[in-house]
Every structure is written in structure tokens, then in C-alpha cells.
Amino acid sequence: MSTKANTGFIIFSSLLGILFLSLVFPGCVHNRVEGFYFIEYSGLKRELVADSKAPDQNGNDLISVNGRLSTPFYSLRQGLEIREPGRSFFIVYWADCPLDLRLKIDGEYVLVDLPNLDAREVEFRYPLDRNALFEGFQLETDAPRGSLKIIGSGVEDSFTGADFTGNPALIGHGIKVLSHTGTDRAEVLVSTELAGPSGADILQIGMRTDSTGPLLLELKDGDGMTREMELRRPENYRQLSLYIPALGFMPGSITLHGQNTRIETFGLHKTPSVPDPVSMDFASILRYPREKWRRSEFELFRWTVEPKVLVFDFSDYSTQAAFLKRLAFFVEKDGFQGRLLTDSELHELHGWNAHDYRAEDLARFFTAAEESGFVLNAEELELREILLSEGILSGDGGGGYRFHTGAVISISRESVDYLRRLFLTHEGFHGLFFTDPGYREHTARLWEGFSPVEKEFWRVFLRWRGYDPEDSYLVQNELQAYLLQQPVFRANTYFIDHTLPRMARLYPQSAGLIDELTANFPNHFENSAAFLEEYVYSSLGLRGGDLENLKYLY
């Protein structure tokens, strides 16, 4: 046989062999995928191969296989071992039909529901165990018709939740979107298994709404448990942080009822590590279980209504005093302002059961200690580090401290429940006064409108309470907090029926002034509280006696 004939025979034999293998072992024939890559976590692009070649159907990646629409099975030529924890498989796609995702991991197949956002691009992430071997994937649908375009795939950081603000929308495993935006409601379903394995205990919901009235938040689990909450003035809040143990269960469905309401983000998160504050509303702070505290002495929160306000919840009065008692006398105690008292001087003096301090006074206190060489205790130094970490204070380069916007307020677990709520409301209004210039101006207008008798009453009242009555800023700050720590309609009751008789008995030199005030200005307290509430309600949707922007209904 000639060389040419021999070569032809070899080629012919090889083709017959390939044909035979393709008939006997159809899985051995793979087609290189041209439309997208598989991208490793490192950024390395890897080619995928398909077990069949999809025909070009105007860009549709779905083909009919045995009467069912699916993609080919896409495989890596060599499986990828996941060497680090916290990684997920991701796929970016566009579809107009419901889809299932079939994954091959460690030689086994896993079937997962994919979210469908009405023909919008989606990036879906599925968590992968460390040391798992990822081999390939396939998409399929039970719908009789549909279109799909796969844009990319690979490995990325794990993600638990959903983010609809970008393009593509980002959705993690366990989330089913019924309608993240709607004319009267938005609803997301959540796998109740998500919180446990991840250790997550904070549920964060980012939202927008056109509602000007209260928004109803409805949470349900799969066993009939329901929790309803009312969000006041929802247009002022872009993110809710809900503590799952305070709810009593892991929600399986989250529904927001309101006009043109949109759930923009949803996420499950672990409590941040020390020293970062836990973002929380007042209702949840009061419900927060002490056994979940990250420190034995106190827990630190960031108020969601005004994030520049830090909230300390101390284990007892003595711990609170170690952090804040010297500061109280330095800032506002009548006869002691500006002095750094020694521990022996402080020992016989009474501080406060709850505290509040603006950034400017915090900076003065720590600067005075630094410049005078005064030795602060360990708790005060810890407070200083928290303030520096949170940006409320910063070093001025000369050994002192600059102040920025922010404030600190505190309560204690030693107070009984009704006092904890009262104190937190009182201190919360101080937090608003410290951080909202408009509210300070509104309070100043109230003060300037007072008669001499009304002004003198407040100076005498605050002197009796232990404050410096000559500090105009302090006087205005305290009067607004005392007026709004209870509902407006109870302001007269609190002062006229309870506080003033006690004041006249314990501070007899005030009796004549009290009589003159109540005789000439019988509605002073209620009218003043109503004036202050006008600003608080118009700007924040909150009212006197109630700073819980998120109200637990049941």
C-alpha cells in the first residue's frame, strides 16, 4: 500500500474510532462553551465544556431535551477544589421563566430553585463547603417555553440575602422573591434554615416607600408564628435592623405593607465583633437579652433613628458610674463643672441613673485630663477608645482631642423595666438635641418665648435636680427632655400632680414660684411639650414619650 493510501486509511480509522466512541460513550464528546467563562475566586478564567451543542435560537441557552427545556450540562475540564471557607458558586443570567439549577459537587447532584425577577439580570450565589470539589452545572425549567441567557459563572464570596439595587440583582441561596416591589406590598420568602448554620442573628432590611403614614411590617415563620410591627414615618428610614432572638423566631416571610413599597436589600448578619456597636432601634434595645451581650459589663448600640448617637446599656449603676460619673460632675453638676474630681471626692457623691453627653463635652473632658496629667480609670480610657474608634473624637495633634458630630447616652439593667423605658426616652431626646441643629433652634424659640416666671421656674427646678442653672444650653436641653419624656397629654400630670408637690415639699423655697406658675400658666407644661413635639413629629414621625420608630404590635 502506498504511503498516501496508508495515511488515508489511518485518518479513516481514527474517524471511525471517534464515531464509535461518541455512540457508545456520548458523554465523552464535549463542546467548548463560547458565550461565557467560569471565573475562579482568584480571577482566573477557565473554559467550560458542554455535553451537547445548543443550537442558536436568537441567543436562547435553553434547548429541548426529551420534551423538557434545559441547557447542556456545563463542566470544568478538571474539577475545582474549594480551598477556603466562605465561598459560593455564582451564576449571572437573564430569564423570563422559572428555573432550577442542577449542581455537581463531589460527584453528587444538587437541585436548587433559582430566583426569577421578570426578565431582569440576576446574580445567584450558592454556598460551597471548604474542600468541596465543584464539577459543573445545568439549568432547566418545567415551563413549556422560555428564554435564558447565561452571562457568567464562577466562585465568589458567600452572600446571604438579596440586593436589588444594582444590575444584576444579587440574591443568595434560600431567598425566594414573590414581589420585592409593589403598589401596596412587597414580599420576600426566606429559608428558615439560613440563620442557624450561619450564626446570623441580625436581620437587616433596606427599603423605600412612598407611604407618608405608618408602614406595617409583617413577619411569619412556617409554624404559624407571626410578629407585626409598625414603622413610623418610613420615608426617613432606609434600613431596619431586627434582632432575631428579640423577635422570638426566624422569619420565613417578610412583608411590607405600604404604598409603592420596595424591599431593596435583605440580609442576615452576625452581631458585629467588639468594639463595633450593634445598630438597633429603642424597642429592640429594651428587648435585647443580656445573655447575648458581647461583654459582661455593658452592651453598646448605635441608634438607628440617629446613628451618631451611641447607646450604652450597663449591667448596674456601679459599672455605669465607673465609666461616666466623673464626666457627669465635670460637665453638668452644679458647683462642679470643669473640675476633674478624684475617686475619693466622687465616693460620697451621687451621679445619675442614666447619662447623656455631647461630643464637645466629651472632648473637653478628655483634653482636660490629658493636659493636666490627671489619671483616668480603665473604664474611662475604654470609653475614650470607643469614641475615637467611632469618629466622635479625634486627636488634635497636640495631646488633646477634637470633637465631631455625635453623642453618648446610657441606661442600666439595675433600673426596673418601666424606668429603663422612661430613662431611654429621656436620654434619647438629649441625643436628638445634641445631633439635630434644627431641633435645638426649635427648643431655643420655645425658651425665648417664655415669660420671666416660666424661665425662673425652669432654673429653680433644674437647680433642685442638681444641674447648673446658669448654663443656658444645659437648661434648654434638660427642659425639652423632661417635657417630652412622657406623652404630651401627660405632661401636666407628671409635673402638676406629681413632681411639683414633691418639689415644694423637699425644696420649700420654690413653693411661691410654683404657685405663681400654676396660677398664671396652668397649661405651661402641656403647651410647651406640644410645641416641641411639632418638630419631632414633622421631622421624624416620633412623639413625646415614644422614640420607638419601630413599634412591636404583637
Side-chain angles (χ1 to χ4, degrees):
M1 184 180 296
S2 68
T3 300
K4 183 175 181 180
N6 187 50
T7 301
F9 176 76
I10 292 171
I11 293 173
F12 178 73
S13 299
S14 299
L15 291 173
L16 283 177
I18 293 172
L19 178 61
F20 173 77
L21 289 172
S22 67
L23 292 173
V24 178
F25 305 107
C28 293
V29 178
H30 292 96
N31 299 282
R32 177 180 169 185
V33 176
E34 300 286 351
F36 61 94
Y37 289 95
F38 184 95
I39 304 176
E40 292 188 17
Y41 187 79
S42 64
L44 177 66
K45 291 183 178 179
R46 293 183 58 174
E47 290 183 352
L48 290 161
V49 292
D51 62 358
S52 62
K53 184 172 178 60
D56 183 8
Q57 299 177 356
N58 298 318
N60 189 0
D61 287 326
L62 293 173
I63 58 175
S64 179
V65 178
N66 297 324
R68 193 165 190 260
L69 291 177
S70 71
T71 67
F73 192 88
Y74 302 112
S75 304
L76 293 169
R77 294 186 184 275
Q78 181 178 354
L80 175 65
E81 183 179 357
I82 307 303
R83 299 184 182 276
E84 303 87 7
R87 301 289 187 256
S88 285
F89 166 75
F90 79 85
I91 182 168
V92 183
Y93 62 93
W94 173 100
D96 61 5
C97 59
L99 291 167
D100 292 327
L101 172 66
R102 187 181 301 274
L103 298 167
K104 188 177 182 182
I105 304 171
D106 292 329
E108 302 290 335
Y109 290 94
V110 179
L111 193 63
V112 181
D113 288 337
L114 282 181
N116 177 27
L117 291 185
D118 300 325
R120 180 181 171 185
E121 283 188 18
V122 174
E123 178 179 339
F124 174 78
R125 294 189 189 179
Y126 182 85
L128 299 171
D129 293 335
R130 185 178 184 179
N131 299 323
L133 183 67
F134 181 85
E135 299 175 74
F137 66 94
Q138 182 179 33
L139 283 76
E140 54 192 44
T141 181
D142 290 325
R145 63 184 62 86
S147 297
L148 165 70
K149 180 63 179 176
I150 300 175
I151 300 167
S153 66
V155 174
E156 253 296 355
D157 288 323
S158 291
F159 176 78
T160 304
D163 185 344
F164 305 107
T165 60
N167 189 35
L170 178 60
I171 301 177
H173 174 57
I175 308 299
K176 185 174 182 180
V177 183
L178 297 186
S179 173
H180 76 94
T181 181
T183 56
D184 61 353
R185 59 186 278 165
E187 186 170 5
V188 173
L189 299 185
V190 185
S191 170
T192 56
E193 300 175 356
L194 286 181
S198 67
D201 51 18
I202 295 177
L203 175 65
Q204 290 187 338
I205 306 169
M207 49 155 285
R208 287 186 182 272
T209 181
D210 293 338
S211 290
T212 55
L215 187 71
L216 180 65
L217 173 63
E218 184 180 17
L219 307 172
K220 294 181 179 180
D221 73 353
D223 298 322
M225 292 285 292
T226 299
R227 177 79 68 192
E228 288 188 355
M229 287 169 278
E230 181 182 81
L231 178 65
R232 283 86 175 271
R233 195 52 64 86
E235 70 272 18
N236 287 341
Y237 306 103
R238 296 293 176 251
Q239 181 169 280
L240 304 178
S241 294
L242 305 176
Y243 185 62
I244 294 171
L247 297 175
F249 60 89
M250 172 62 194
S253 72
I254 302 165
T255 307
L256 287 168
H257 299 269
Q259 182 181 2
N260 294 330
T261 298
R262 300 173 292 284
I263 295 176
E264 294 196 328
T265 59
F266 164 84
L268 288 167
H269 304 276
K270 296 180 181 180
T271 302
S273 58
V274 172
D276 294 342
V278 181
S279 293
M280 201 152 289
D281 62 282
F282 275 6
S284 298
I285 289 174
L286 293 172
R287 287 170 166 262
Y288 199 97
R290 183 172 173 179
E291 60 268 20
K292 295 291 185 178
W293 282 11
R294 298 166 297 169
R295 309 169 177 87
S296 59
E297 299 86 3
F298 68 92
E299 186 53 271
L300 178 63
F301 302 95
R302 187 190 311 282
W303 188 19
T304 52
V305 169
E306 177 45 83
K308 300 181 185 69
V309 175
L310 300 182
V311 183
F312 284 81
D313 193 358
F314 288 103
S315 57
D316 50 47
Y317 291 146
S318 62
T319 303
Q320 182 173 238
F323 277 83
L324 301 173
K325 186 176 180 180
R326 196 184 335 266
L327 182 59
F329 282 86
F330 180 87
V331 172
E332 57 192 14
K333 285 282 191 174
D334 188 21
F336 297 95
Q337 286 181 305
R339 289 180 55 194
L340 291 168
L341 301 183
T342 63
D343 291 347
S344 59
E345 290 175 311
L346 285 172
H347 181 68
E348 299 299 327
L349 298 174
H350 174 67
W352 305 120
N353 292 340
H355 293 250
D356 60 274
Y357 304 102
R358 59 175 173 167
E360 181 177 351
D361 290 330
L362 293 164
R364 286 196 304 110
F365 174 78
F366 287 109
T367 297
E370 192 75 27
E371 290 178 348
S372 65
F374 188 93
V375 179
L376 299 173
N377 64 32
E379 291 83 0
E380 291 162 332
L381 294 177
E382 184 176 0
L383 171 63
R384 186 185 65 186
E385 292 309 305
I386 291 172
L387 297 172
L388 290 169
S389 175
E390 288 301 308
I392 294 176
L393 300 184
S394 64
D396 64 4
Y401 298 92
R402 296 190 183 95
F403 65 90
H404 307 280
T405 303
V408 166
I409 64 176
S410 77
I411 55 174
S412 167
R413 288 289 170 128
E414 191 168 335
S415 302
V416 296
D417 287 347
Y418 85 91
L419 284 178
R420 280 171 54 79
R421 189 177 189 278
L422 176 67
F423 291 160
L424 187 57
T425 303
H426 180 102
E427 304 305 338
F429 276 109
H430 284 312
L432 293 179
F433 188 88
F434 289 141
T435 56
D436 188 339
Y439 185 46
R440 291 198 297 274
E441 293 171 5
H442 191 76
T443 304
R445 285 195 292 272
L446 173 68
W447 175 256
E448 293 305 321
F450 281 170
S451 68
V453 171
E454 291 170 301
K455 288 183 177 180
E456 183 61 17
F457 163 77
W458 280 103
R459 293 190 185 100
V460 172
F461 170 75
L462 292 172
R463 178 180 291 114
W464 172 58
R465 301 295 292 181
Y467 298 95
D468 178 3
E470 303 308 316
D471 186 334
S472 179
Y473 181 96
L474 177 62
V475 168
Q476 293 179 36
N477 187 13
E478 290 299 333
L479 80 85
Q480 63 84 25
Y482 275 105
L483 286 168
L484 288 182
Q485 67 183 15
Q486 60 279 311
V488 168
F489 69 89
R490 291 182 181 166
N492 278 354
T493 300
Y494 173 79
F495 280 96
I496 296 175
D497 295 348
H498 301 290
T499 305
L500 298 190
R502 182 168 177 265
M503 179 179 172
R505 185 175 70 255
L506 299 177
Y507 199 59
Q509 59 267 48
S510 67
L513 180 61
I514 291 172
D515 290 341
E516 186 177 2
L517 176 76
T518 54
N520 293 304
F521 305 95
N523 291 315
H524 166 82
F525 300 106
E526 187 169 322
N527 290 343
S528 300
F531 179 85
L532 291 170
E533 188 184 66
E534 288 176 6
Y535 181 93
V536 176
Y537 182 74
S538 64
S539 63
L540 297 171
L542 302 175
R543 294 195 179 277
D546 190 356
L547 286 178
E548 296 178 1
N549 63 306
L550 190 65
K551 195 75 173 175
Y552 286 72
L553 302 180
Y554 68 86

